[in-house]
């Protein structure tokens, strides 16, 4: 039944990701392909000429269809939803050219030297905060080592082909690929046999609790922060381009993590949770302030912005807390 659902969804997903070709283009494509086979079999110059004409006509039809799509896209732009500004930036935006970078010791010019300078800067940014409490560090390390040596007793729900198809269908086409060069569009057009093979790989990941190192390797692209000095290596934000296949596996794991941790979250945690956002948190604060006004109270608030909170999180400490949670 699961295979049948995956097959049905695959058909719908191919429909959605298709290029909406007209019947004229489809017919001309068939004619072109047929003439190509004939010319390859006969090696006759006349058949080759017919194939070239059919191919040229097909290219013209594609060009006309592209121009029509572009005209429809421009006509559908709406200044209220930001689509006009997005299109204008795409049309007029110039590619950023990184200038020479100024480090503490020298000025670097080549791409290799720039990459090393930014890598050194990122390494400093990602250093953990100094805890200065060896007993705590030793306790955490012992607990983690003990946990990792234990044989897993719980079983993780295996993924299904229909779940993988649904995840792939939500991937955006225009995203840049990872180190393997496998794009989301290529993933969307995988045959059903390859989808089942991917399902088996992700099932093995869940069963053996091992995530492939190749899927954890990313291409790091430095993006200049708005309004920052382009010659300072600290002014660049790293964007990691992971494999599209790893993103599918991560989505499967994330679903199971959310199901396992949802009941253990505090009620006021709104970040990274489904159907919750800063809007609900602002509403909660507004309600508290309003109640204070009505009761004649003074309402105080403390807002904390922790610098490099994600970059410098103590991963071992976070794992230690997860291990000690009352599952």
């Amino acid at each position: 039944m699961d295979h049948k659902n995956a097959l049905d969804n695959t058909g719908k997903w191919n429909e959605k990701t298709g290029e909406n070709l007209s019947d004229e283009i489809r017919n001309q494509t068939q004619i072109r392909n047929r003439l190509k086979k004939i010319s390859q079999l006969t090696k006759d110059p006349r058949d080759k000429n017919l194939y070239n004409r059919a191919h040229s006509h097909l290219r013209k039809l594609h060009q006309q269809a592209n121009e029509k799509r572009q005209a429809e896209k421009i006509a559908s732009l709406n200044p209220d939803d930001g689509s006009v500004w997005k299109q204008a930036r795409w049309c007029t935006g110039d590619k950023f050219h990184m200038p020479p970078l100024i480090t503490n010791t020298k000025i670097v010019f080549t791409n290799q030297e720039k990459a090393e300078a930014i890598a050194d800067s990122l390494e400093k940014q990602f250093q953990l905060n100094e805890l200065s409490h060896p007993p705590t560090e030793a306790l955490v390390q012992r607990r983690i080592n003990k946990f990792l040596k234990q044989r897993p007793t719980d079983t993780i729900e295996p993924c299904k082909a229909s779940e993988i198809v649904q995840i792939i269908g939500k991937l955006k086409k225009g995203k840049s690929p990872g180190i393997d060069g496998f794009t989301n569009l290529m993933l969307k057009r995988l045959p059903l046999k390859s989808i089942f093979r991917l399902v088996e790989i992700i099932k093995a990941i869940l069963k053996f609790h091992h995530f492939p190192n190749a899927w954890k390797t990313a291409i790091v692209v430095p993006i200049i922060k708005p309004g920052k000095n382009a010659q300072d290596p600290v002014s660049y934000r790293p964007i990691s381009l992971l494999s599209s296949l790893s993103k599918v596996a991560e989505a499967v794991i994330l679903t199971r993590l959310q199901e396992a941790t949802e009941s253990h979250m505090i009620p006021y945690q709104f970040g990274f949770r489904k159907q919750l956002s800063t809007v609900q948190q602002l509403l909660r604060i507004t309600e508290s302030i309003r109640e204070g006004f009505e009761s004649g109270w003074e309402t105080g608030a403390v807002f904390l912005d922790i610098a490099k909170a994600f970059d410098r999180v103590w991963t071992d400490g976070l794992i230690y807390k997860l291990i000690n949670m009352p599952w």
Side-chain angles (χ1 to χ4, degrees), residues 131-148 314-321 323-324:
L131 298 177
S132 300
H133 198 270
T136 301
E137 295 180 8
L139 172 65
V140 169
Q141 197 60 49
R142 286 197 304 270
R143 183 69 179 91
I144 292 177
N145 291 338
K146 181 180 177 181
F147 175 78
L148 294 177
W314 186 25
T315 308
D316 289 345
L318 183 61
I319 296 174
Y320 177 81
K321 286 189 174 183
I323 293 173
N324 291 328

Side-chain angles (χ1 to χ4, degrees), residues 85-98 223-224:
W85 172 242
K86 184 178 180 180
Q87 184 69 18
R89 287 184 60 187
W90 183 83
C91 293
T92 61
D94 296 328
K95 289 187 177 180
F96 174 76
H97 297 283
M98 185 182 295
I223 304 296
I224 184 68

Side-chain angles (χ1 to χ4, degrees), residues 285 288-293 297-301:
I285 294 175
S288 297
I289 296 173
R290 184 184 61 81
E291 291 176 2
F293 277 135
W297 301 335
E298 292 183 358
T299 304

Side-chain angles (χ1 to χ4, degrees), residues 23 28 34 64 71 119 122 136 184-185 187 193 204 208 213 215 225 235 240-241 254 258 282 313 317 326:
D23 293 338
Q28 184 63 26
R34 186 165 60 250
Q64 292 173 351
L122 294 177
T136 301
N184 287 349
L185 184 58
L187 192 58
K193 184 177 180 180
F208 297 108
N213 290 329
W215 285 5
K225 299 177 183 177
S235 301
S240 298
L241 303 179
L254 177 61
Q258 289 175 334
L282 289 173
V313 64

Side-chain angles (χ1 to χ4, degrees), residues 7 15-17 54 72 83 97 101 111 168 179 201 241:
L7 178 60
E15 255 180 44
K16 292 178 182 178
T17 58
E72 292 175 351
S83 57
H97 297 283
L101 299 181
N111 291 336
I168 293 176
I179 197 170
I201 293 174
L241 303 179

Side-chain angles (χ1 to χ4, degrees), residues 98-326:
M98 185 182 295
L101 299 181
I102 302 175
T103 66
N104 294 331
T105 57
K106 60 181 180 179
I107 301 177
V108 296
F109 297 91
T110 66
N111 291 336
Q112 181 66 28
E113 291 175 331
K114 291 177 183 178
E116 293 175 356
I118 293 177
D120 293 340
S121 174
L122 294 177
E123 184 179 0
K124 293 179 182 178
Q125 294 180 44
F126 294 160
Q127 286 181 352
L128 296 179
N129 294 315
E130 182 61 40
L131 298 177
S132 300
H133 198 270
T136 301
E137 295 180 8
L139 172 65
V140 169
Q141 197 60 49
R142 286 197 304 270
R143 183 69 179 91
I144 292 177
N145 291 338
K146 181 180 177 181
F147 175 78
L148 294 177
K149 291 179 181 178
Q150 294 175 353
R151 190 179 187 89
T153 57
D154 56 338
T155 57
I156 303 175
E157 178 188 358
C159 64
K160 300 179 180 179
S162 56
E163 180 183 5
I164 300 301
V165 168
Q166 186 178 12
I167 293 172
I168 293 176
K170 294 180 181 179
L171 295 177
K172 296 181 179 179
K173 294 182 184 179
K175 293 294 183 178
S176 299
I179 197 170
D180 56 6
F182 205 90
T183 65
N184 287 349
L185 184 58
M186 294 165 62
L187 192 58
K188 286 176 177 288
R189 294 183 175 178
L190 282 179
L192 192 59
K193 184 177 180 180
S194 299
I195 296 294
F196 288 136
R197 182 64 60 86
L198 179 59
V199 170
E200 294 303 320
I201 293 174
I202 297 178
K203 281 183 178 179
I205 290 174
L206 298 176
K207 179 180 179 180
F208 297 108
H209 304 85
H210 174 76
F211 201 86
N213 290 329
W215 285 5
K216 293 187 286 186
T217 305
I219 299 175
V220 179
V221 180
I223 304 296
I224 184 68
K225 299 177 183 177
K228 298 294 184 178
N229 180 14
Q231 291 187 300
D232 188 353
V234 182
S235 301
Y236 291 86
R237 178 184 295 108
I239 302 296
S240 298
L241 303 179
L242 289 164
S243 169
S244 297
L245 297 172
S246 73
K247 294 177 183 177
V248 176
E250 288 173 5
V252 172
I253 296 172
L254 177 61
T255 301
R256 284 144 184 79
L257 279 176
Q258 289 175 334
E259 293 174 354
T261 58
E262 183 64 28
S263 60
H264 300 281
M265 303 291 286
I266 60 175
Y268 304 128
Q269 172 64 38
F270 287 0
F272 305 101
R273 297 180 71 183
K274 288 184 177 180
Q275 299 178 348
L276 293 174
S277 66
T278 54
V279 175
Q280 285 81 12
Q281 194 69 285
L282 289 173
L283 179 61
R284 174 172 166 263
I285 294 175
T286 304
E287 286 295 314
S288 297
I289 296 173
R290 184 184 61 81
E291 291 176 2
F293 277 135
E294 293 177 352
S295 303
W297 301 335
E298 292 183 358
T299 304
V302 178
F303 298 93
L304 298 178
D305 185 9
I306 304 175
K308 306 294 181 183
F310 179 81
D311 299 337
R312 297 188 176 186
V313 64
W314 186 25
T315 308
D316 289 345
L318 183 61
I319 296 174
Y320 177 81
K321 286 189 174 183
L322 288 172
I323 293 173
N324 291 328
M325 284 182 70

